[in-house]
Amino acid sequence: QIKQLRFAVQTSTGLAIEGTDTTARTEYLHVDAAGRPLSPAYRVTTRDRQGRFEIEKRIFPAPDRQSLILRVTVRALNGAIRPFLMLEPHIANTGGGDAGEARPNRLTAHEGGVYLTLMPSVAFDQASVGFLGHSDGLTDLSDGRMDWAYRELGDQRGAIMLTGALPTVKSGEATYDFAIGFGSTAEASETAAAGTLKTGYREVLARFNG
């Protein structure tokens, strides 16, 4: 249901985008004494090619709900940075026809009877939904600022992006938790995401690892 989830980061010398402007490494979170993986829980670390920031994502599913949990740590390595979460849904395994809504406390997308809800542990400073290449977050950030806050797309459908702005990290690091719930209704996907956040990162990981 997700094509891509990445971060764009505003720095003092311009906007950097995960993938395009970063390197990456992937590690397992749960390994034995020989370093062999014991569960498919991952740590993905991306580092800015210019050395301005590093982003660590810890990703794994909740074993008792239709959901994923992400613990994201953003590190400012050379001056203040501001991260923006960008979610491109791929609902019902199609490249278009998606509807979406953006609120500071949740980002949602759906097509037909398939729903996705992303909830942050702390509300976004600003949230927006738009069509790729026209009103999406990356288009908005091309001038270095997030100026748009489109709450919904109305009756229109298409290839969309959901964007949530996080606070500026002046120095050091900041950690955020996110849960992504899935379901056949909006309520089901929201309940899955909210329940996973309430259970908490450590307990969900412990249950997943068995």
Side-chain angles (χ1 to χ4, degrees), residues 80-114:
I81 58 171
R82 189 179 190 195
F84 300 85
L85 181 148
M86 306 191 135
L87 171 63
E88 294 178 47
H90 207 253
I91 304 298
N93 201 30
T94 67
D98 292 347
E101 296 182 5
R103 302 287 189 276
N105 65 343
R106 70 185 185 279
L107 305 175
T108 63
H110 67 90
E111 180 180 343
V114 183

Side-chain angles (χ1 to χ4, degrees), residues 60-69 117 119 179-183 187-205 207-208:
F60 47 91
D64 49 0
R65 294 186 178 91
Q66 296 292 331
S67 62
L68 294 170
I69 191 165
T117 298
M119 286 187 175
I180 306 175
F182 306 90
E187 293 76 13
S189 66
E190 290 174 10
T191 297
T196 296
L197 278 182
K198 184 177 181 179
T199 301
Y201 168 86
R202 292 186 181 279
E203 178 62 23
V204 174
L205 180 59
R207 293 179 186 179
F208 182 64

Side-chain angles (χ1 to χ4, degrees), residues 5 7 18 27 29 41-46 54-62 67-75 85 118-122 166 173-180 196-206:
L5 190 156
F7 284 83
E18 273 193 307
E27 304 162 287
L29 289 176
Y42 300 98
R43 175 170 54 240
V44 180
T45 304
T46 56
E54 182 176 85
I55 299 174
E56 177 189 298
K57 302 187 197 77
R58 297 181 176 221
I59 308 167
F60 47 91
S67 62
L68 294 170
I69 191 165
L70 291 83
R71 171 158 286 187
V72 179
T73 299
V74 181
R75 300 183 179 99
L85 181 148
L118 182 147
M119 286 187 175
S121 56
V122 178
L166 296 168
E173 65 182 40
T175 297
Y176 311 93
D177 287 342
F178 305 93
I180 306 175
T196 296
L197 278 182
K198 184 177 181 179
T199 301
Y201 168 86
R202 292 186 181 279
E203 178 62 23
V204 174
L205 180 59

